[in-house]
């Protein structure tokens, strides 16, 4: 009798979560995903002031990389990048050793673009799930728990687009000439990518070198792009090259960092309601968990 009463109490709480709390969570996540897609898009037929790119400065821990990058949606509209070093340790005078502008239009940032597509897929999944219920489909608590798990995975995929390092190996950008003015010197590699919601500018100077031995090659295979690439070796064509200088700059791009924050919040509130539902459903009867129940108002 006590177990039956416990089941009834938990089942009532489960229904409250499904009918009162979950719709609010769905609404908040839908709004946040829509805002994120908007942040990573350039509105069509909008006033020029609304499409004006965000111009952000490049900050460098070493102080060597300078310049700015203008980002609109998921594209670099323009960028000016230069490397400056002191003439000597005792002198405060500086000399410019490198300068270029990104002039390719548009220079697509792959990670924010992929994130926008992932957010749209997640939003479509959510809207389809809600539409099915509005037109008569009644999922069971078990069905909803399964959906929440799959939906959480979609949000994780979208977040990872911006949070993980998405840089490419140096050899993929070696001797890249299109889109830069002045053109990059043959011994310079310029990479622009995202990491933890920030835009990273990485400038590498390389020199031709002898092929590495087997031990060195095995080590190179373990090096990840988010680590320092100083002294990293790579093969291009029939020759080997070594990275002899590395400078890294960071740009705080508002729409990218805000998008990552939105996805963090989406995951947090979805995980919170999923955990509540999982705990409560563990004390519900199997028959209840597999009984269809309505969580939205049906359309007639």
């Amino acid at each position: 009798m006590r177990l039956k009463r416990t089941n009834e109490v938990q089942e009532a709480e489960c229904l409250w979560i499904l009918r009162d709390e979950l719709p609010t969570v769905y609404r908040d996540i839908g709004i946040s995903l829509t805002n994120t897609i908007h942040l990573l898009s350039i509105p069509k037929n909008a006033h020029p002031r609304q499409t004006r790119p965000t111009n952000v400065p490049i900050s460098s821990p070493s102080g060597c990389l300078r310049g700015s990058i203008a980002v609109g949606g998921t594209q670099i509209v323009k960028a000016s990048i230069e490397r400056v070093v002191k003439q000597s340790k005792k002198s405060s005078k500086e000399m410019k050793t490198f300068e270029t502008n990104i002039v390719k239009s548009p220079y697509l940032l792959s990670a924010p673009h992929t994130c926008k597509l992932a957010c749209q897929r997640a939003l479509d999944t959510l809207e389809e799930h809600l539409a099915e219920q509005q037109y008569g489909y009644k999922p069971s608590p078990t069905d909803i728990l399964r959906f929440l798990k799959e939906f959480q995975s979609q949000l994780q995929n979208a977040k990872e687009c911006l949070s993980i390092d998405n840089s490419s190996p140096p050899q993929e950008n070696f001797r890249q000439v299109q889109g830069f003015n002045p053109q990059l010197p043959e011994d310079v590699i310029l990479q622009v990518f995202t990491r933890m919601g920030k835009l990273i500018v990485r400038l590498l100077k390389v020199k031709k070198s002898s092929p590495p031995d087997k031990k060195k090659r095995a080590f190179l295979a373990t090096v990840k792009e988010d680590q320092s690439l100083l002294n990293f070796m790579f093969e291009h064509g029939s020759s080997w090259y070594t990275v002899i200088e590395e400078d890294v700059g960071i740009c705080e791009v508002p729409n990218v960092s805000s998008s990552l924050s939105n996805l963090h919040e989406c995951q947090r509130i979805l995980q919170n309601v999923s955990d509540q539902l999982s705990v409560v459903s563990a004390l519900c009867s199997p028959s209840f968990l597999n009984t269809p129940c309505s969580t939205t108002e049906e359309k007639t």
Side-chain angles (χ1 to χ4, degrees):
M1 181 66 70
R2 182 178 295 177
L3 179 60
K4 182 179 180 181
R5 183 160 187 165
T6 300
N7 285 346
E8 290 175 352
V9 171
Q10 297 303 319
E11 288 166 7
E13 186 174 353
C14 186
L15 284 175
W16 176 81
I17 294 172
L18 294 176
R19 293 175 178 171
D20 291 83
E21 190 166 353
L22 193 57
T24 301
V25 169
Y26 284 158
R27 183 200 65 202
D28 291 346
I29 290 178
I31 292 173
S32 188
L33 285 174
T34 301
N35 289 340
T36 301
I37 294 167
H38 177 74
L39 283 170
L40 298 175
S41 303
I42 298 179
K44 294 181 179 179
N45 302 321
H47 190 277
R49 289 185 178 179
Q50 292 179 288
T51 60
R52 185 178 297 168
T54 302
N55 200 56
V56 291
I58 299 171
S59 62
S60 171
S62 66
C64 294
L65 275 189
R66 298 177 184 176
S68 62
I69 294 181
V71 179
T74 61
Q75 302 168 356
I76 293 179
V77 180
K78 62 179 180 179
S80 299
I81 304 167
E82 63 181 30
R83 183 178 186 269
V84 179
V85 297
K86 291 184 178 180
Q87 291 183 352
S88 66
K89 292 182 179 180
K90 296 181 179 180
S91 173
S92 60
K93 293 184 178 180
E94 297 177 332
M95 62 178 181
K96 191 180 299 182
T97 63
F98 169 83
E99 181 180 21
T100 193
N101 298 287
I102 294 178
V103 294
K104 182 179 179 180
S105 182
Y107 187 97
L108 186 66
L109 293 167
S110 60
H113 179 70
T114 305
C115 177
K116 183 178 73 171
L117 297 179
C119 287
Q120 186 63 63
R121 285 193 295 270
L123 183 60
D124 291 344
T125 297
L126 177 60
E127 291 177 343
E128 182 180 350
H129 176 71
L130 296 176
E132 288 176 345
Q133 295 180 62
Q134 288 177 334
Y135 287 99
Y137 170 65
K138 295 182 180 180
S140 67
T142 299
D143 293 331
I144 293 174
L145 280 168
R146 187 182 301 114
F147 168 77
L148 292 178
K149 184 177 180 180
E150 294 171 354
F151 190 49
Q152 183 75 270
S153 178
Q154 289 192 337
L155 293 178
Q156 177 66 20
N157 290 339
K159 189 185 77 172
E160 285 183 352
C161 293
L162 298 181
S163 58
I164 64 174
D165 187 296
N166 78 313
S167 60
S168 55
Q171 55 268 36
E172 291 188 11
N173 304 111
F174 188 46
R175 292 186 176 169
Q176 182 178 357
V177 295
Q178 293 185 344
F180 298 98
N181 182 31
Q183 289 188 357
L184 300 180
E186 289 191 351
D187 62 346
V188 169
I189 299 173
L190 181 62
Q191 297 179 309
V192 183
F193 54 93
T194 56
R195 178 193 296 162
M196 296 306 297
K198 296 179 175 61
L199 203 61
I200 307 297
V201 180
R202 182 159 62 191
L203 188 67
L204 307 173
K205 188 171 183 178
V206 303
K207 71 172 183 178
K208 204 168 185 179
S209 58
S210 301
D213 56 27
K214 290 183 178 180
K215 186 176 180 180
K216 180 69 173 179
R217 290 192 190 207
F219 169 74
L220 292 172
T222 66
V223 176
K224 298 180 180 180
E225 283 73 32
D226 60 350
Q227 300 173 349
S228 172
L229 295 182
L230 192 61
N231 298 320
F232 179 78
M233 299 181 70
F234 64 90
E235 187 177 16
H236 183 80
S238 58
S239 302
W240 279 86
Y241 298 84
T242 300
V243 176
I244 57 173
E245 292 181 13
E246 177 184 38
D247 289 292
V248 177
I250 302 172
C251 292
E252 295 278 357
V253 184
N255 67 325
V256 175
S257 57
S258 295
S259 296
L260 183 58
S261 296
N262 285 351
L263 292 170
H264 272 303
E265 182 62 13
C266 285
Q267 276 201 306
R268 187 192 67 79
I269 61 176
L270 185 64
Q271 188 64 56
N272 185 50
V273 74
S274 297
D275 289 344
Q276 290 182 55
L277 202 53
S278 296
V279 171
V280 172
S281 63
L283 298 174
C284 296
S285 64
S287 60
F288 170 81
L289 292 175
N290 293 292
T291 300
C293 61
S294 176
T295 61
T296 61
E297 294 183 4
E298 296 179 20
K299 287 189 176 182
T300 58

